[in-house]
């Protein structure tokens, strides 16, 4: 059985001339796109596309099929616009505040797909620290914000969680340990330490303090992650960082799990004054659907954040 995704994918392939480009536009894998087109062709009993290594072309019968698909999708978008307008979602504005890395890594795809479904809604994205975002939410300065470790019982929608790991320069004596052996946090507190905040109140130093310890040799504190990792590579010190912030190039670094795993959690929450706004409700509903596991969710299930899943700040 076909659905709107099949037809949107077909039109996207005709527009881009590429299954992989169309798959990226529709938020699915290339293999999923190929399977969807095969299902559509099997259902119709005709070949719509001819695919080889170099290009994808439309067959003679495929041309009028795609033209009718465009009209069908345009009518569907028109129907949805009418429905949105009746619920006050046709136009509006959402002020959204996030940590910089959440915006750059997790939210772009979600925001793009939301804008495609609600083109009349303007989203204003603001960067802030975790403390600033909580202050803005309390004051109603923003409509929606990403908060760290949302309180139990709050109405925050959890986007994922992130494990803290120890990062050690390869020249450090601790780097001789097997990477399969976890490190106790208390082994790090007397070592030269690089504090990387990432613009967040909860950082490596605060994490150590929350576990009842204190750092005795903080060499430097920096906000941005790339600088922190360069300092660690240069032997200035070691650090404790969120796993999702590990660089793709880990040359010069050794990464160790903590023997008592510690996580930070991220949640999307709305300001009290904005909670009943139709555009904000539509935004949360879109995020929930997009984060569902399986074929309906295009961004993966909510869960532990890692380098290969929905990385956050």
């Amino acid at each position: 059985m076909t659905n709107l995704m099949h037809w949107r994918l077909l039109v996207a392939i005709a527009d881009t001339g590429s299954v992989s480009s169309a798959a990226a536009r529709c938020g699915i894998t290339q293999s999923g796109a190929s399977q969807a087109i095969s299902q559509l062709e099997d259902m119709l009993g005709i070949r719509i596309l001819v695919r080889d290594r170099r290009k994808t072309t439309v067959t003679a019968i495929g041309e009028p099929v795609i033209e009718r698909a465009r009209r069908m999708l345009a009518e569907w978008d028109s129907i949805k616009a009418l429905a949105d307008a009746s619920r006050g979602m046709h136009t509006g504005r959402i002020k959204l505040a996030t940590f910089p890395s959440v915006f750059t890594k997790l939210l772009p795809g979600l925001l793009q797909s939301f804008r495609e479904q609600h083109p009349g809604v303007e989203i204003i994205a603001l960067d802030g620290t975790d403390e600033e975002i909580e202050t803005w939410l309390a004051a109603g300065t923003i409509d929606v914000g990403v908060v760290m470790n949302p309180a139990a019982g709050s109405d925050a929608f959890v986007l994922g969680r992130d494990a803290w790991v120890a990062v050690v320069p390869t020249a450090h004596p601790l780097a001789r340990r097997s990477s399969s052996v976890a490190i106790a946090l208390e082994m790090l507190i007397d070592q030269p330490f690089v504090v990387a905040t990432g613009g967040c109140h909860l950082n490596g130093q605060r994490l150590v303090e929350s576990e009842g310890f204190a750092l005795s040799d903080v060499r430097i504190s920096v906000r941005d992650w790339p600088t922190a990792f360069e300092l660690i590579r240069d032997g200035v010190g070691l650090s404790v960082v969120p796993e999702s912030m590990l660089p793709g190039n880990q040359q010069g670094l050794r990464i160790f799990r903590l023997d008592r795993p510690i996580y930070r959690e991220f949640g999307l929450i709305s300001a009290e004054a904005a909670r009943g706004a139709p555009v904000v409700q539509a935004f949360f509903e879109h995020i929930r659907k997009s984060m569902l596991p399986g074929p309906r969710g295009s961004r993966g299930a909510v869960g532990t954040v890692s380098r290969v899943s929905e990385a956050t700040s």
Side-chain angles (χ1 to χ4, degrees), residues 143-156:
D143 302 309
V144 180
V146 176
V147 298
M148 186 183 298
N149 296 332
S154 71
D155 65 348

Side-chain angles (χ1 to χ4, degrees), residues 201-213:
H201 173 75
L202 181 59
N203 51 60
Q205 183 171 17
R206 296 292 179 87
L207 182 74
V208 168
E209 293 171 353
S210 70
E211 294 295 308
F213 306 108

Side-chain angles (χ1 to χ4, degrees), residues 105 165-167 225 229 241-250 253-256 307:
K105 293 188 177 182
V165 294
V167 184
W225 303 106
F229 292 123
V241 307
E243 185 179 15
S244 64
M245 290 298 99
L246 293 174
N249 177 15
Q250 296 181 8
L253 307 174
R254 291 295 307 281
I255 314 299
F256 296 93
R307 290 292 305 178

Side-chain angles (χ1 to χ4, degrees), residues 1-3 6-7 10 36-49 59 61-69 72:
M1 181 178 294
T2 62
N3 56 38
H6 290 79
W7 297 107
L10 178 62
I37 292 300
S38 294
Q39 290 172 350
L40 181 60
E41 291 177 330
D42 288 344
M43 188 273 293
L44 294 174
I46 58 173
R47 291 289 301 277
I48 302 174
L49 303 171
T59 64
I61 187 59
E63 292 286 356
V65 169
I66 292 172
E67 185 57 34
R68 284 164 174 76
M72 177 181 66

